[in-house]
């Protein structure tokens, strides 16, 4: 039994790896593909959750970041910069710390979940709050790195990020022994759907799988440019991770949808929150709100007859629920403390 080496080592022959790369890894990837019994019952399908919240910094971003920070180091760059709704910045901060590089993150003012901010702080990133949304932050990051080439841009507009993230599709096919029929995932800046489609397409082209899944990309209703077919100027949703109006990988997402005969869907904040609670209570998996969009979209698609029963379906749940305790605890009723007394415990449980 050899321990999981991290995804660059695990899939070295399938990744565009530069010469003289000294891998910066936190042993990311190798996440569970968890059978989801309740969701399977609800849909009549074989549903699995790809639990990306179990990556080292609690989101799928680590798959791209091991590649991007390794690449920046090999290029001799002194610092890395990203725009982020929170997870990319947490990941960049951790990998930069591991590589002993400087990291700066541009985040939309007041719109990132507390846990993600805590991660960037702890890993020593320079946190720069911007008076604007994610789209403004990304434009600023692109302009800054274009003007100052010693700073590496580690957003998913950096192609090595997508390379790393495609390994999630490889892992799913390796675990199932085949490709799923349908793959659902939340879409924000659209790097991840682009990466999955590349991964599935490469396995298929090499004869390792005999089908490619239909891709179901789910956006939040208040931030659904791909669903509307046009950028959204002031995106708004409780799922702050995907509060994005102008996805950088627009073309990659459209290609994934069209080539796979898939679909884009919008999920309302209510649907997202309902799926968020459902996964936690029935599958034992605590994800962040944006991650639950994949499940919300899948359930709605099933109701509308888009999904036949008997199919094998994978939903990527992209980030860990611990990142956003505020949303989890919102609306929790105030409870009175009880005396130190077993009868009081039993009566609190309405068992006495
Ligand atoms: N789910 C989570 C938890 C995310 O953090 C993101 C993106 C997505 C889904 C969407 O993925 O952008 O590849 O379509 N978060 C970015 C960030 C924008 O800055 O952390 P995508």
């Amino acid at each position: 039994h050899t321990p999981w080496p991290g995804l660059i080592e695990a899939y070295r022959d399938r990744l565009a790896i530069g010469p003289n790369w000294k891998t910066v890894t936190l042993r990311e990837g190798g996440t569970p593909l968890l059978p989801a019994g309740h969701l399977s019952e609800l849909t009549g399908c074989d549903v699995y959750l790809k639990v990306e919240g179990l990556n080292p910094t609690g989101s799928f971003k680590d798959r791209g970041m091991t590649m991007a920070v390794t690449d920046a180091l090999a290029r001799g760059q002194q610092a890395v910069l990203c725009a982020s709704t929170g997870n990319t910045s947490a990941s960049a901060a951790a990998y930069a710390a591991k590589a002993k590089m400087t990291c700066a993150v541009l985040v939309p003012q007041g719109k990132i979940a507390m846990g993600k901010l805590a991660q960037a702080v702890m890993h020593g990133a320079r946190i720069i709050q911007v008076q604007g949304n994610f789209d403004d932050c990304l434009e600023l990051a692109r302009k800054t790195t274009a003007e100052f080439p010693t700073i590496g841009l580690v957003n998913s507009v950096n192609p090595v990020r997508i390379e790393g993230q495609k390994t999630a599709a490889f892992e799913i096919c390796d675990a199932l022994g085949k490709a799923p029929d349908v793959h659902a995932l939340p879409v924000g800046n659209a790097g991840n759907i682009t990466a999955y489609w590349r991964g599935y397409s490469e396995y298929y082209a090499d004869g390792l799988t005999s089908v490619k899944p239909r891709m179901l990309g789910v956006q939040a209703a208040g931030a659904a440019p791909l669903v509307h077919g046009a950028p959204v100027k002031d995106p708004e949703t409780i799922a702050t991770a995907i509060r994005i109006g102008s996805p950088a990988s627009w073309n990659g997402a459209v290609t994934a949808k069209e080539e796979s005969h898939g679909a884009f869907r919008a999920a309302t904040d209510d649907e997202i929150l309902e799926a968020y609670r459902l996964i936690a209570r029935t599958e034992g998996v605590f994800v962040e709100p944006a991650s639950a969009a994949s499940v919300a979209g899948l359930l709605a698609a099933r109701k509308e007859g888009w999904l036949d029963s008997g199919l094998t379906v994978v939903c990527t749940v992209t980030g860990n629920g611990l990142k956003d305790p505020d949303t989890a605890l919102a609306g929790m009723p105030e409870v009175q403390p009880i005396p130190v007394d077993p009868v009081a415990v039993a009566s609190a449980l309405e068992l006495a």
Side-chain angles (χ1 to χ4, degrees):
H1 177 82
T2 45
W4 175 257
L7 62 84
I8 292 182
E9 289 312 317
Y11 291 105
R12 182 167 269 280
D13 54 345
R14 299 199 154 270
L15 294 170
I17 287 174
N20 324 317
W21 268 27
K22 253 189 90 211
T23 305
V24 181
T25 180
L26 296 169
R27 306 259 168 125
E28 57 296 309
T31 56
L33 185 67
L34 190 69
H38 188 73
L39 296 176
S40 297
E41 253 170 59
L42 284 180
T43 56
C45 290
D46 250 338
V47 181
Y48 296 82
L49 298 176
K50 181 63 170 162
V51 187
E52 289 290 273
L54 292 177
N55 275 296
T57 78
S59 85
F60 71 95
K61 303 291 180 180
D62 296 341
R63 293 182 184 275
M65 211 53 75
T66 182
M67 294 280 290
V69 172
T70 298
D71 184 45
L73 194 66
R75 287 172 191 275
Q77 286 170 322
Q78 292 152 7
V80 292
L81 177 70
C82 66
S84 182
T85 56
N87 281 323
T88 300
S89 53
S91 184
Y95 283 81
K98 182 80 176 171
K100 299 192 163 67
M101 293 175 82
T102 300
C103 175
V105 303
L106 305 178
V107 297
Q109 187 177 25
K111 293 289 182 183
I112 97 166
M114 207 46 88
K116 303 175 187 180
L117 197 57
Q119 290 178 287
V121 168
M122 283 304 294
H123 293 304
R126 314 266 171 89
I127 297 155
I128 304 166
Q129 297 217 35
V130 177
Q131 295 166 334
N133 60 28
F134 171 83
D135 303 293
D136 302 317
C137 292
L138 182 56
E139 199 186 319
L140 184 57
R142 293 175 105 144
K143 283 186 178 153
T144 306
T145 50
E147 236 174 274
F148 301 92
T150 56
I151 308 172
L153 182 62
V154 295
N155 279 105
S156 58
V157 294
N158 178 338
V160 302
R161 277 274 314 271
I162 307 286
E163 268 295 289
Q165 286 174 212
K166 76 182 180 184
T167 58
F170 298 163
E171 288 176 17
I172 289 165
C173 297
D174 292 346
L176 291 174
K178 63 174 185 178
D181 300 304
V182 171
H183 188 116
L185 79 172
V187 174
N189 210 27
N192 213 26
I193 190 171
T194 303
Y196 270 95
W197 185 241
R198 187 189 294 176
Y200 283 126
S201 299
E202 288 182 6
Y203 256 32
Y204 179 81
D206 289 346
L208 295 172
T209 50
S210 57
V211 295
K212 292 193 267 184
R214 277 187 291 157
M215 300 298 293
L216 179 62
V218 188
Q219 301 205 282
L226 289 160
V227 178
H228 303 311
V232 171
K233 195 168 163 290
D234 293 309
E236 205 43 79
T237 168
I238 190 151
T240 51
I242 52 172
R243 184 172 168 269
I244 294 172
S246 182
S249 296
W250 184 289
N251 293 338
V254 170
T255 300
K257 182 203 127 188
E258 286 182 355
E259 288 185 359
S260 77
H261 309 288
F264 296 135
R265 287 195 71 94
T268 64
D269 280 5
D270 283 347
E271 290 173 320
I272 289 172
L273 288 174
E274 200 179 312
Y276 170 66
R277 294 186 194 107
L278 181 79
I279 309 164
R281 291 193 177 200
T282 63
E283 304 294 355
V285 181
F286 183 25
V287 304
E288 64 169 288
S291 305
S294 58
V295 171
L298 183 79
L299 295 177
R302 173 67 179 143
K303 272 195 197 128
E304 283 172 19
W306 188 81
L307 188 74
D308 291 334
S309 55
L311 298 177
T312 299
V313 178
V314 174
C315 290
T316 299
V317 282
T318 43
N320 197 303
L322 293 170
K323 285 171 174 277
D324 188 1
D326 293 334
T327 304
L329 294 175
M332 190 180 79
E334 211 176 295
V335 281
Q336 288 303 314
I338 59 156
V340 187
D341 172 10
V343 175
V345 175
S347 85
L349 294 172
E350 289 161 10
L351 294 172

